[in-house]
Amino acid sequence: MKIVIIGARGRLGAALMREHQGEHDVAGFNHAQLDLSNLDKIREKLGETDFDVLVNAAAFTNVDLCETQRDQAFRINAEAPDLLAKICADKGAKLIHFSTDYVFDGEKRAPYTDEDEANPISVYGESKLAGEKNVLAAQNRHLVVRVSWVFGPDRPSFIDGMIKRAQENETVDAIADKFSTPTYTHDIARMLPQFFDGDGEGGILHFANAGKCSWQEYAQWALDCCREFGVPTKAKTVGPLKLNDMQAWVARRPVYSVLSTTKYVQLTGTRPRTWREAVADYIRRFYSKK
Ligand SMILES: NC(=O)c1ccc[n+]([C@@H]2O[C@H](COP(=O)([O-])OP(=O)(O)OC[C@H]3O[C@@H](n4cnc5c(N)ncnc54)[C@H](OP(=O)(O)O)[C@@H]3O)[C@@H](O)[C@H]2O)c1
């Protein structure tokens, strides 16, 4: 199967490249090789490329910057996926497009299913939701995979920032009143081939590691794992912060955005491992010197 991955140097895209090479015929485009804000280039580059599955892991992901760069956010997160979806439909290829828990407003207090209504509260969320709709309108076998709080070795994220801060400071803190589920790029990459089949079901799929936590709990578990695996940190405990304390944030963020993976479990007969297992695995593999 020929797979093309867009966003090949991103946190998720790089993990997909690594995990799928060897098992499939994989090619990737990074930002410099294919700029999603240039629709003519997309037509040109993808027109001359042969593939069965196109995976779009590229996006304008800076949530705060999206607020002041609305046009660019919509161009990359909505218009480009629209074109990708149409190109794939014309070629008879399947598009797997990544989206986000930030399409929800966060008012619910139980995991969001793919049938819950999206109601974004940021430009990033609005642009990603518009992208989802464009992808699904182009062909009913295209798949939109929503993920949350993505972490992995290819680009630093919240967890790496927390470990670094804990290595440099005696005290650290993190937001205690915002909830979702950390999701390991390795786990996303391992589950994805189940959906490469062009005849498989399309639509929206939620994927996240199991369970839920606040950023404080997430960070605390990361430090606990560091201790367990012999990774030295000065700070051992993570103090609480309130979402309202984050004065520097420009965009609003949902306070609760746990994704229900019930549909994924029903479709595949497998369960994602817990976020605690995934985080422990990551720290053992990429931080531990033991
Ligand atoms: N990170 C999270 O916590 C999270 C949570 C929920 C959903 N998601 C979704 O998961 C997907 C992957 O995100 P990620 O975590 O891997 O983010 P990331 O590390 O920021 O990766 C995004 C990639 O897109 C590329 N990109 C940005 N603008 C582009 C453009 N105009 N043309 C082509 N490429 C462009 C970036 O390249 P440069 O860096 O070179 O610009 C980067 O390689 C996205 O759809 C995102 O919305 C992420």
Side-chain angles (χ1 to χ4, degrees), residues 144-199:
V144 168
V145 184
R146 290 183 185 141
V147 290
S148 61
W149 291 9
V150 177
F151 70 92
D154 299 283
R155 191 173 282 203
S157 64
F158 170 82
I159 184 172
D160 309 287
M162 285 307 305
I163 293 171
K164 187 164 186 286
R165 276 171 56 199
Q167 287 175 328
E168 291 167 357
N169 302 284
E170 300 290 340
T171 60
V172 290
D173 41 33
I175 294 170
D177 56 356
K178 182 182 187 316
F179 303 90
S180 191
T181 314
T183 304
Y184 191 5
T185 53
H186 173 77
D187 294 23
I188 300 172
R190 293 316 302 161
M191 72 82 188
L192 204 63
Q194 300 172 97
F195 299 94
F196 284 169
D197 179 5
D199 296 327

Side-chain angles (χ1 to χ4, degrees), residues 63-269:
V63 177
D64 288 323
L65 214 53
C66 284
E67 294 294 310
T68 49
Q69 298 189 13
R70 189 182 174 90
D71 289 352
Q72 183 73 346
F74 271 81
R75 199 166 301 123
I76 296 166
N77 292 344
E79 284 174 42
D82 182 46
L83 179 57
L84 297 179
K86 287 174 178 155
I87 291 171
C88 286
D90 287 348
K91 279 181 180 276
K94 178 171 185 166
L95 175 63
I96 299 181
H97 173 74
F98 280 94
S99 192
T100 170
D101 54 321
Y102 278 26
V103 296
F104 294 113
D105 59 19
E107 295 300 320
K108 208 179 163 188
R109 289 297 174 269
Y112 282 98
T113 73
D114 58 295
E115 285 173 4
D116 281 319
E117 198 178 332
N119 181 32
I121 55 173
S122 63
V123 172
Y124 170 70
E126 277 180 56
S127 66
K128 292 292 289 183
L129 179 61
E132 292 184 355
K133 288 182 174 166
N134 289 342
V135 166
L136 296 177
Q139 217 219 62
N140 60 11
R141 284 180 303 132
H142 288 344
L143 187 69
V144 168
V145 184
R146 290 183 185 141
V147 290
S148 61
W149 291 9
V150 177
F151 70 92
D154 299 283
R155 191 173 282 203
S157 64
F158 170 82
I159 184 172
D160 309 287
M162 285 307 305
I163 293 171
K164 187 164 186 286
R165 276 171 56 199
Q167 287 175 328
E168 291 167 357
N169 302 284
E170 300 290 340
T171 60
V172 290
D173 41 33
I175 294 170
D177 56 356
K178 182 182 187 316
F179 303 90
S180 191
T181 314
T183 304
Y184 191 5
T185 53
H186 173 77
D187 294 23
I188 300 172
R190 293 316 302 161
M191 72 82 188
L192 204 63
Q194 300 172 97
F195 299 94
F196 284 169
D197 179 5
D199 296 327
E201 193 182 336
I204 298 174
L205 183 76
H206 288 180
F207 183 82
N209 283 116
K212 82 159 218 285
C213 61
S214 67
W215 275 356
Q216 183 192 17
E217 289 169 301
Y218 180 15
Q220 184 61 59
W221 179 246
L223 297 196
D224 292 348
C225 291
C226 283
R227 192 187 324 209
E228 165 84 15
F229 298 123
V231 181
T233 59
K234 286 184 187 161
K236 305 288 178 211
T237 56
V238 181
L241 274 179
K242 286 202 169 77
L243 198 52
N244 283 342
D245 296 336
M246 302 308 290
Q247 304 289 350
W249 279 356
V250 181
R252 286 179 67 210
R253 287 148 166 91
V255 298
Y256 180 98
S257 57
V258 178
L259 297 175
S260 163
T261 53
T262 303
K263 181 173 169 184
Y264 172 82
V265 174
Q266 281 167 354
L267 283 174
T268 65

